[in-house]
């Protein structure tokens, strides 16, 4: 099918873009990589009256590390994160995760921020954003505001971003050089969305867990940070027993629904297995053997 008729605008600045989004009754949508929106429009699940194509706004191409965080502008493509956007554990995590996002042609055009804004519950970047405590900066005619990733996601395809604003960047906090990162995903085919995915970030000193951040994709209606699992780990010895206890806690906090390919019980079990593997991978990444 072809999309319903729409007006096409290609602003050169953020100010022009928010003015176009803010017009009363415009029913406008931002176009970033187009890898989800164009399909939605062709199926006529989305019928925007106006497309605001942000691809000519050079300021949104920013990708910059300042020691405290990595700024990822709204036009940074998945492939840029795959190729090593920054050093250290954060760079390793972004490279590993991006290889699981769709397949290369889609990664060449699709954007991290577009994925966050689309808020597909299975999207890998949502889980990364809540695990790291990322912040999103939104622009409107009134200025900008910052929203924590934890508060940004409201449910499947629903976010805190209103119709007259758009996300200009996400800030991912830097990780200490001694942190370990792990990412594991279960999917039916190489380019399928995740059935469930797990992100783990660990700090380990003298055999004890000093810091733990764990999140799941597609185990709830939105990216899920599993604080119960983190609480099990912090202060505990980094052993396979404590990792198993944390994984069980994560599965208990997960709230997956049944889908045609997998029951809720199966996906909850998958969440437990994947968290266990992500923790083992994070421990190995930081050089701590898991006894
Ligand atoms: C075959 C296929 C497989 C895929 N597999 C995966 C996968 O495994 N994992 C995964 O995470 N994704 C997957 N995707 C989706 C892909 O990652 C998209 O790139 C991503 O979801 C959307 O990014 P985009 O830049 O293409 O956004 P667009 O398609 O341009 O926009 C998507 C939505 O977000 C809104 N939007 C975009 N940017 C902004 C912004 N800056 N501010 C506010 N709203 C904005 C748009 O208005 C639209 O509603 C897949 C897509 C396809 C076609």
């Amino acid at each position: 099918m072809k999309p319903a008729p729409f007006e096409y605008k290609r602003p050169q600045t953020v100010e022009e873009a928010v003015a176009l989004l803010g017009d009363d009754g415009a029913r406008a949508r931002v176009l970033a990589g187009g890898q989800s929106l164009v399909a939605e429009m062709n199926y006529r699940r989305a019928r925007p009256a106006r497309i605001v194509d942000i691809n000519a706004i050079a300021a949104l191409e920013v990708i910059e590390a300042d020691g405290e965080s990595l700024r990822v502008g709204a036009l940074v493509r998945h492939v840029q994160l795959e190729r090593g956007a920054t050093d250290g554990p954060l760079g390793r995590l972004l490279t590993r995760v991006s290889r699981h996002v769709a397949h290369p042609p889609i990664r060449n055009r699709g954007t991290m921020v577009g994925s966050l804004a689309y808020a597909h519950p299975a999207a890998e970047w949502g889980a990364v954003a809540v695990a790291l405590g990322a912040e999103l900066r939104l622009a409107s005619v009134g200025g900008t505001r910052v929203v924590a990733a934890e508060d940004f996601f409201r449910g499947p395809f629903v976010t805190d971003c209103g119709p007259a604003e758009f996300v200009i960047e996400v800030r991912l906090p830097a990780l200490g050089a001694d942190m370990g990162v792990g990412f594991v995903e279960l999917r039916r085919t190489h380019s399928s969305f995740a059935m469930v995915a797990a992100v783990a970030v660990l700090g380990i000193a003298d055999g004890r867990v000093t810091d733990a951040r764990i999140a799941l994709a597609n185990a709830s209606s939105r990216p899920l940070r599993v604080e119960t699992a983190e609480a099990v780990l912090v202060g505990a010895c980094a052993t396979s027993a404590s990792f198993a206890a944390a994984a069980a806690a994560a599965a208990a906090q997960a709230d997956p629904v049944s889908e045609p390919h997998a029951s809720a019980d199966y996906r909850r079990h998958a969440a437990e297995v994947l968290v266990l593997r992500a923790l083992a991978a994070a421990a190995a990444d930081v050089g701590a053997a898991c006894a």
Side-chain angles (χ1 to χ4, degrees):
M1 241 203 305
K2 296 292 176 211
F6 59 89
E7 179 189 24
Y8 175 81
K9 296 285 184 184
R10 192 173 167 89
Q12 306 292 312
T13 65
V14 170
E15 291 71 25
E16 285 172 37
V18 292
L20 288 163
L21 289 171
D23 274 5
D24 273 354
R27 287 197 298 116
R29 292 282 278 273
V30 165
L31 175 76
Q35 300 304 299
S36 299
L37 180 58
V38 172
E40 294 276 335
M41 289 172 66
N42 285 344
Y43 284 120
R44 299 205 176 190
R45 290 194 295 245
R47 301 171 72 113
R50 174 185 292 167
I51 286 295
V52 179
D53 179 352
I54 59 173
N55 283 274
I57 306 177
L60 301 179
E61 291 171 10
V62 63
I63 179 161
E64 187 177 83
D66 63 7
E68 293 196 348
S69 62
L70 178 70
R71 278 175 72 199
V72 179
L75 287 179
V76 173
R77 318 287 167 180
H78 304 302
V79 69
Q80 291 173 264
L81 303 159
E82 184 179 356
R83 288 183 183 154
T86 187
D87 298 332
L90 180 58
R92 293 199 296 279
L93 179 64
L94 297 178
T95 298
R96 280 176 210 172
V97 173
S98 50
R99 289 182 183 146
H100 290 80
V101 178
H103 41 81
I106 289 162
R107 296 203 288 272
N108 285 340
R109 282 305 294 171
T111 63
M112 173 189 259
V113 169
S115 171
L116 297 173
Y118 188 49
H120 193 301
E124 292 83 359
W125 293 133
V128 170
V130 299
L132 296 178
E135 291 182 337
L136 296 98
R137 183 172 290 275
L138 281 61
S140 68
V141 285
T144 65
R145 68 186 179 105
V146 173
V147 182
E150 190 67 43
D151 302 325
F152 182 74
F153 299 103
R154 298 254 179 97
F157 309 104
V158 181
T159 71
D160 192 47
C161 184
E165 57 187 351
F166 78 109
V167 184
I168 54 172
E169 68 180 31
V170 59
R171 275 182 188 261
L172 306 169
L175 296 172
D178 54 351
M179 304 285 281
V181 295
F183 179 80
V184 191
E185 168 169 315
L186 176 66
R187 54 187 172 177
R188 284 188 310 115
T189 68
H190 187 69
S191 63
S192 303
F193 275 91
M195 204 174 270
V196 182
V199 185
V201 179
L202 286 181
I204 300 175
D206 299 326
R208 285 192 182 275
V209 178
T210 55
D211 192 355
R213 306 174 207 178
I214 307 168
L216 292 164
N218 220 11
S220 180
S221 59
R222 60 196 194 106
L224 184 66
R225 183 148 178 188
V226 279
E227 292 98 346
T228 49
E230 296 172 357
V232 166
L233 280 178
V234 175
C237 287
T239 62
S240 45
S242 66
F243 288 179
Q253 197 182 326
D255 185 23
V257 292
S258 292
E259 56 171 46
H261 301 294
S263 67
D265 285 347
Y266 177 86
R267 294 174 65 217
R268 187 186 298 281
H269 175 66
E272 182 168 353
V273 173
L274 296 180
V275 168
L276 187 58
R277 291 181 187 174
L279 288 169
D285 190 50
V286 79
C290 175

